[in-house]
Amino acid sequence: SAYETGDHRHPDGTPGLEGLTRPGRALPATPYVTAKQKGRLVHFLYAAPARIERYDLDTQSWLAMVLLPPGPVAFDVDASGIFVAYESSLYAFEPDGTRQRFLRNLDETPIELFAAGAHLVAVAPGKVSSVQKSDGALIAEQGVFFGITGATFDGSEVLGRTAWVSPADVLRIAVHP
């Protein structure tokens, strides 16, 4: 038999399922919070149960899930680790999801995270912050007067649109990671 999360089925013995109880029936499908593609892997962040599901595009198979503490709101991954926001707190994990490490608290809850070299860029509705991935030291912050939504990062700028005005304007915020 297999463990069914409602989104897809995992064969018995799939690493990462140890902390979940096997329900008597399939869990209802829970939409993922956000998804990111890194190379040929697609990562899906789920809030309940809190986890990151990974799909390998080359082998067309699901990899071991990474279980997280409850309450993730944003994430990013790179070769150095997994970075997750819980409310206004930022945490780093090893690439396999072990060794949770506190980085820092922010003034606002991020809606998006971007790992960029040695830095982590956190985009909140009213502020963009850049912190060191190694120790959480704040590098820079910039307020966003009309709010930002739909953010993406090109390696040097956060791009998004204004959230609280109509018609919306495109925002470009330089980040120096």
Side-chain angles (χ1 to χ4, degrees):
S1 74
Y3 184 88
E4 187 170 337
T5 62
D7 306 306
H8 54 272
R9 295 174 63 85
H10 294 280
D12 283 336
T14 300
L17 292 178
E18 298 84 6
L20 300 176
T21 57
R22 182 178 299 280
R25 60 179 175 72
L27 295 173
T30 55
Y32 56 86
V33 175
T34 189
K36 297 196 176 191
Q37 182 175 344
K38 300 294 179 168
R40 300 293 296 161
L41 293 181
V42 183
H43 300 77
F44 299 88
L45 176 66
Y46 288 84
R51 67 194 188 274
I52 294 174
E53 298 267 0
R54 301 173 300 157
Y55 187 78
D56 187 318
L57 294 171
D58 290 331
T59 63
Q60 297 185 13
S61 62
W62 291 98
L63 305 176
M65 75 174 68
V66 175
L67 297 177
L68 297 171
V73 295
F75 86 114
D76 202 6
V77 298
D78 68 9
S80 69
I82 300 170
F83 305 92
V84 183
Y86 296 89
E87 292 295 324
S88 59
S89 298
L90 300 178
Y91 287 88
F93 297 83
E94 295 296 318
D96 64 359
T98 60
R99 293 195 48 213
Q100 178 180 352
R101 182 172 47 89
F102 174 76
L103 291 176
R104 82 172 298 110
N105 285 321
L106 300 172
D107 294 338
E108 294 185 48
T109 299
I111 56 173
E112 191 63 77
L113 292 180
F114 301 104
H119 303 166
L120 185 64
V121 177
V123 180
K127 188 178 287 187
V128 175
S129 305
S130 179
V131 302
Q132 292 276 9
K133 289 191 310 189
S134 61
D135 60 8
L138 183 65
I139 297 163
E141 287 185 319
Q142 181 173 341
V144 183
F145 182 71
F146 287 113
I148 187 170
T149 189
T152 189
F153 183 65
D154 70 0
S156 63
E157 291 181 316
V158 171
L159 304 167
R161 62 181 170 82
T162 54
W164 305 318
V165 294
S166 180
D169 287 328
V170 174
L171 297 172
R172 295 175 63 171
I173 301 168
V175 178
H176 304 286

